[in-house]
Amino acid sequence: MVVKVGMLGVGMISPVIADALEDAPNAELVAVGSRTVTKAEKFILRYTTAKAYGSYDEVLDDADVDIVYLPLPTALCYEWTLKCAEKNKHVLVDKPLPPADKLKEMIEVCRSRGLVIMDGTHFVHSNRMRKIVEEARNEEIGKLRRVNTCFRWHMPEDDIRFKTELEPFGALGDLGWYCIKFGLSVCGFENKVIKVHADAVRHPETKSITAAVCSVFFEDGKSLMFDCEFNKAGANYWAEVIGGTGSIYVEDFVLPYKGSTAVCKKEELSPDLLYYKSKNLKVTEEGNFQEVFPPETEKIVVTNTYGISQCALMFEDFREAMGDPEKADRWAMEALATQTVLDTLYEEAKRDSTWSDHANRLS
């Protein structure tokens, strides 16, 4: 079964999704809606099979559309998810999502109609991420202790992400979401959070969060630590999984340098994704631990299924979830767990503005 996708909006991430749908073996873009039909028509020039509409509602009314992709500001996702459900459309919502209380309602409404709701995080659908999670859970680097991640991205100050009425979470939501989801993927979405800490820097005028440093502590002793930032220096997004005897390092965990048209040309795309596994301790013949220094590092290449990008694989997973309620529930609950941690960190960051104000005066 080939699933047919409609898209609401033609913003920054929309071309990446459209490119992925060209490569997805069982999904295709059939409709694009924008606030003006001119914008939609301009967008589909590269995607000749798609229809252009001058409103979002027309996409929802299109009988050919199975899934609606929402690359909309966070403040609009609740309303448009419910509208999609009313039209019996499955929903793929770009992150971050609305606060957990609203997200629960979105999930329940979709579930009651037999519809799938999934967040649009690409990297969790890659074979690389699945391999990393498997190795961490199997303690191939020893007992899992901590996950460290970082996501920094150049963002002009006139971007909507600086408008708190549209994007209330700022950099914590736009970038920190990925760090949280990576950490939960490794440490376990069901793992109980017992403590968090968050400090944030806010824009001096808009008061939007432009940077944050966060820690999340789990009941079983694992932890997640990350920082995220809108900056003027460029992109940087890495992740490290630390175990008792070694570690796993991913240089480009969000958007693989040769695995997403967000960061490379379409003709440069490769399904081969890299990560590194290091050994810091080994067991001697006598059964003792011996330090390995410098660490023994192995370069590992993982090829995506079908030879396609992680974004294209996201639509494969979505299609499977449409026919499997357990998989649909899994994706929805993982989104809810991620958003719940994000909400908690956001509230924690609001508690103390002293550090934020001081940092702004120094910048």
Side-chain angles (χ1 to χ4, degrees):
M1 176 184 72
V2 175
V3 295
K4 299 179 179 181
V5 181
M7 184 184 298
L8 305 191
V10 293
M12 182 176 70
I13 196 64
S14 298
V16 178
I17 298 296
D19 287 338
L21 284 167
E22 283 191 319
D23 296 333
N26 297 296
E28 63 176 321
L29 180 65
V30 298
V32 175
S34 184
R35 286 171 290 182
T36 67
V37 70
T38 303
K39 287 184 179 179
E41 288 174 340
K42 182 178 179 180
F43 182 85
I44 66 165
L45 288 177
R46 283 184 53 200
Y47 314 103
T48 54
T49 59
K51 292 168 278 189
Y53 293 119
S55 73
Y56 297 162
D57 286 302
E58 289 177 278
V59 176
L60 271 58
D61 289 333
D62 190 328
D64 290 334
V65 172
D66 302 310
I67 303 167
V68 176
Y69 173 60
L70 304 181
L72 302 176
T74 302
L76 301 180
C77 289
Y78 171 79
E79 171 191 355
W80 282 99
T81 296
L82 297 187
K83 287 184 176 182
C84 289
E86 288 175 4
K87 299 290 185 175
N88 289 314
K89 307 295 186 186
H90 302 277
V91 193
L92 179 64
V93 191
D94 196 31
K95 49 82 239 159
L97 302 180
D101 56 343
K102 288 189 174 181
L103 178 55
K104 287 179 183 177
E105 183 181 349
M106 292 158 60
I107 292 171
E108 288 305 318
V109 169
C110 289
R111 182 182 285 154
S112 69
R113 292 174 173 265
L115 301 170
V116 176
I117 179 170
M118 180 190 288
D119 70 78
T121 308
H122 307 171
F123 73 83
V124 294
H125 302 278
S126 71
N127 288 13
R128 174 174 70 179
M129 189 62 198
R130 288 169 176 149
K131 180 70 171 174
I132 290 170
V133 171
E134 178 185 348
E135 291 188 344
R137 299 280 179 87
N138 291 340
E139 298 190 354
E140 294 188 26
I141 53 172
K143 186 176 180 179
L144 180 60
R145 294 167 47 209
R146 187 171 72 253
V147 174
N148 296 330
T149 68
C150 163
F151 192 1
R152 307 182 187 108
W153 191 267
H154 174 264
M155 194 67 67
E157 293 188 12
D158 60 353
D159 191 273
I160 66 165
R161 291 163 180 81
F162 287 85
K163 298 180 179 180
T164 55
E165 68 274 17
L166 294 176
E167 295 293 350
F169 302 111
L172 182 57
D174 194 63
L175 307 181
W177 168 278
Y178 294 96
C179 300
I180 296 167
K181 190 146 196 182
F182 185 97
L184 292 179
S185 295
V186 174
C187 296
F189 286 94
E190 72 291 342
N191 210 341
K192 184 179 179 180
V193 175
I194 58 171
K195 184 173 67 172
V196 302
H197 183 77
D199 282 313
V201 178
R202 295 181 180 272
H203 191 278
E205 296 176 3
T206 68
K207 304 304 179 184
S208 61
I209 294 176
T210 59
V213 179
C214 304
S215 302
V216 180
F217 299 90
F218 300 98
E219 189 175 42
D220 64 358
K222 300 182 183 72
S223 61
L224 162 66
M225 299 181 183
F226 71 89
D227 73 273
C228 54
E229 179 186 26
F230 292 152
N231 65 28
K232 298 180 181 179
N236 185 12
Y237 41 89
W238 53 264
E240 182 183 28
V241 182
I242 301 172
T245 59
S247 62
I248 293 170
Y249 178 76
V250 193
E251 185 180 15
D252 56 354
F253 83 96
V254 180
L255 300 168
Y257 296 149
K258 296 297 181 181
S260 171
T261 55
V263 292
C264 74
K265 296 178 180 178
K266 198 167 190 299
E267 58 269 23
E268 297 173 337
L269 282 175
S270 170
D272 298 328
L273 308 184
L274 308 178
Y275 70 94
Y276 299 87
K277 184 164 62 173
S278 297
K279 180 184 292 186
N280 304 87
L281 288 176
K282 66 179 180 181
V283 180
T284 65
E285 292 182 359
E286 295 78 20
N288 300 316
F289 283 106
Q290 179 179 326
E291 182 181 10
V292 179
F293 187 82
E296 296 175 358
T297 300
E298 177 185 4
K299 178 181 176 180
I300 299 173
V301 179
V302 183
T303 302
N304 278 334
T305 307
Y306 304 122
I308 58 179
S309 70
Q310 60 187 23
C311 187
L313 283 176
M314 176 173 65
F315 287 97
E316 282 298 298
D317 284 336
F318 198 112
R319 184 181 68 89
E320 289 182 9
M322 289 168 62
D324 188 331
E326 287 188 9
K327 288 184 178 179
D329 280 347
R330 171 203 159 189
W331 292 115
M333 290 304 101
E334 289 185 4
L336 181 58
T338 305
Q339 187 61 45
T340 300
V341 173
L342 175 56
D343 289 352
T344 307
L345 290 168
Y346 177 68
E347 292 301 318
E348 175 69 13
K350 290 195 300 185
R351 291 177 57 179
D352 184 6
S353 63
T354 304
W355 185 86
S356 305
D357 294 341
H358 179 64
N360 283 323
R361 285 197 297 271
L362 292 177
S363 61

